[in-house]
Structures are given as C-alpha cells and as structure tokens.
Amino acid sequence: MKVAFIGGGNMAAAIIGGMLTKGYSAADLAVVEVSPEARVKLVAQFGVSALEAPGAEMARMDAIVIAVKPQQMRAAAVALGPHLGKALVITIAAGIRLADLSRWLGGYSRCVRAMPNTPALVHAGVTGLYADASVPAGDRLLAERLLGAVGRTLWFDRETDLDAVVAVSGSGPAYVFYAIEAVETAARELGISPDKARALALATFDGATKLAIARGEDPATLRANVTSRGGTTERAIAVLDAAGVKAKFVEAIKAAAQRSREMGDEFGKD
Ligand SMILES: NC(=O)c1ccc[n+]([C@@H]2O[C@H](COP(=O)([O-])OP(=O)(O)OC[C@H]3O[C@@H](n4cnc5c(N)ncnc54)[C@H](OP(=O)(O)O)[C@@H]3O)[C@@H](O)[C@H]2O)c1
C-alpha cells in the first residue's frame, strides 16, 4: 500500500511512526511538507521520501492523508486535486466537512473523515471515522488499517458525530492532563516532593484506566466500590459534587464540539 501524507507535522509523524512499527515499508510512504527543515527531519527520522508539493507521484498512491491545520486544508486540497489518481483521501483536520473537502479537490468524493488523537504517538490512540454511503467497503477497510496502526478505530454513522469525537477523544487527552495537573498540585501542596507527586498522579490515572478496561464495569460502580461511607473518598467526591465539577466537564466538552462545528463553517465556507 502506497501512502502519502500532505503535511508532515505532529499527527502525520505519529501515524507514520505507527505504520513503520506495524511493518509498513518506508519506501511506500511519502510526505508533502512545505517546510524544508521539517522535510529534512522526516527523511532522517523515518526514511520516507519528502516532497515540497504534490505532483505526478500522487497518482500512484493508494491513500493520501491530509494532515494540515484546518485553516490550511483548503489550500492543501486545491493543490492536491489535479494530481489525484486512484487514492482514497483521508482528512484528519478538526471540523472540516467532507462536502467542502470534496469541492476543494475538484469534485473528488472517495474521501474519509478521521479524527485521531495524540496518544497515537505511543500506539494508544483512538480514531473516529466517517464516510458517506458511496465510499466502498474496501476503502473503509483501507482507512481502518491505516489509522489502526496507531490505536483503535471506531466508525460513526453521521458526519456530525465527528464534531463530538473531536471534542471527546481528539481534545480528550488535554482534559486528562488537566486532571493529572490538579492531582499533582494537590500532592505537592500536601507536602509530597514534585517527582513523587508526578509518579503518584501518573500511576493512579494509568492504573485506574487499566482497571476500568479490565473490569468492563460502569465507572460509577467502580467509583462506588472505592467510596466507603464516612471515608476519605466520600469527602473528596462531596467537594467535587458541591462545585459541580462533573457538570462543568460535560459543558466543556460540549463547548469543544461547538467549536468544531464553527471551524467547519469558518474554514469551509469558500
Ligand atoms: N494534534 C492533535 O491533537 C490532533 C488530533 C487529531 C487531529 N488533529 C488534526 O491534525 C491536523 C494536523 O495537526 P498537527 O498538530 O499535526 O499540525 P502541524 O504540526 O502544524 O502539522 C501540519 C504541517 O503541515 C504543513 N503544511 C501546511 N500547509 C501545507 C500544504 N499545503 N502542503 C504541505 N504541508 C503543509 C505545516 O507547515 P507550517 O507549519 O509551515 O504551516 C506543518 O508542518 C490538524 O488539522 C488537526 O486538526 C490534530
């Protein structure tokens, strides 16, 4: 499978790294990247070929992943359109809708919208995928295999669900880091040294997540299991509940989804 990436930044590098670990050959991977320094780095780090702009080689690709910022998508797609052959085009940009991408590509509709997240860097990502009904099963499998190199993949039935995926798992690692920061701060304020505060916070998030996955139980049940009446956990949860922390998390994630929809309107309008 020959794959090209348009944009060789953080997410492209994470996916390329994952693909190479999974046994894909660097000789089959190419990156179109505008920055000369980034091109040199990509060649040195991964041994892939790096190009300044899309050209005739794009016609030989089986898949092309557009991995530029949402505000750069239009220009990247317009430049790619004339060189497309048989490739499945996968966009990983937040907010950008398939109808807009297809228009920018000159009416090309073999496209999949994907939303990965940064744990892809350590092969622990999760990617939401959407394609409309005209995209054949073989193309869906191709997208799944490609993004599956860096973690789990989940298909969604409605394109609007991808705005929720951006908000939940795309931006999600930041919410987890935010919570880790809070736990670490508390540990330090309780007199624990910074290195041990970090170790405790990280091991707790890692362990609790692994436990939740292993047990497959509802998180509310798992929480109830460690909350004894009159105990320390109950006191802590009462403080969080009184401050409406859970409701604020929900509100924050809905705000992120709204921003994804706005980005679709803002960057997709022409
Ligand atoms: N980071 C995340 O957590 C995350 C998660 C899921 C999805 N995404 C999506 O992934 C996309 C990429 O994010 P990123 O963090 O990897 O961004 P990034 O590090 O800025 O990478 C994009 C790269 O593409 C280059 N570029 C811009 N226009 C180009 C063009 N027309 N042709 C070729 N190269 C071009 C950029 O160069 P310049 O820097 O010179 O502009 C930059 O090096 C975004 O749309 C984002 O929504 C990101």
Side-chain angles (χ1 to χ4, degrees):
M1 177 159 81
K2 285 197 165 300
V3 182
F5 290 80
I6 310 292
N10 298 316
M11 282 313 293
I15 300 168
I16 291 168
M19 292 176 77
L20 294 176
T21 311
K22 285 268 161 141
Y24 285 83
S25 162
D28 290 329
L29 305 182
V31 184
V32 176
E33 167 57 56
V34 283
S35 149
E37 299 79 36
R39 284 202 297 276
V40 169
K41 207 171 141 203
L42 287 159
V43 173
Q45 190 178 359
F46 298 119
V48 296
S49 54
L51 314 156
E52 193 180 349
E57 50 290 291
M58 293 299 121
R60 291 192 290 275
M61 298 297 158
D62 298 300
I64 298 175
V65 181
I66 315 188
V68 299
K69 297 271 191 234
Q71 58 272 33
Q72 301 166 328
M73 277 297 289
R74 184 180 179 280
V78 166
L80 172 65
H83 306 288
L84 279 172
K86 58 184 169 111
L88 173 70
V89 176
I90 302 173
T91 165
I92 64 163
I96 301 299
R97 298 180 185 116
L98 288 180
D100 296 317
L101 174 63
S102 171
R103 191 177 67 253
W104 296 330
L105 291 170
Y108 194 84
S109 60
R110 259 186 85 191
C111 301
V112 167
R113 182 169 160 188
M115 180 41 54
N117 66 359
T118 52
L121 281 162
V122 291
H123 309 281
V126 60
T127 300
L129 294 165
Y130 171 80
D132 71 30
S134 68
V135 173
D139 281 349
R140 287 166 190 266
L141 195 63
L142 201 160
E144 217 174 288
R145 272 174 38 211
L146 210 154
L147 274 317
V150 288
R152 287 191 65 176
T153 56
L154 293 169
W155 282 98
F156 291 82
D157 296 332
R158 299 171 303 182
E159 185 166 7
T160 48
D161 288 342
L162 267 276
D163 294 312
V165 175
V166 175
V168 173
S169 54
S171 301
Y175 319 145
V176 176
F177 301 142
Y178 188 84
I180 293 172
E181 279 173 63
V183 171
E184 229 186 283
T185 303
R188 285 200 306 267
E189 289 184 7
L190 287 165
I192 291 173
S193 65
D195 55 333
K196 286 187 177 138
R198 170 131 334 150
L200 284 174
L202 290 178
T204 302
F205 276 81
D206 185 37
T209 306
K210 284 195 172 115
L211 178 66
I213 293 169
R215 287 278 176 83
E217 278 174 286
D218 182 18
T221 308
L222 292 168
R223 178 157 63 81
N225 292 347
V226 290
T227 312
S228 14
R229 191 177 288 263
T232 56
T233 313
E234 187 186 64
R235 180 77 62 90
I237 298 290
V239 172
L240 294 173
D241 281 347
V245 172
K246 199 197 280 177
K248 281 290 165 201
F249 257 97
V250 173
E251 192 183 322
I253 293 169
K254 286 181 178 168
Q258 174 58 22
R259 181 60 191 139
S260 176
R261 290 189 286 271
E262 285 169 13
M263 283 162 76
D265 293 340
E266 203 175 320
F267 304 123
K269 62 178 182 286
D270 46 25

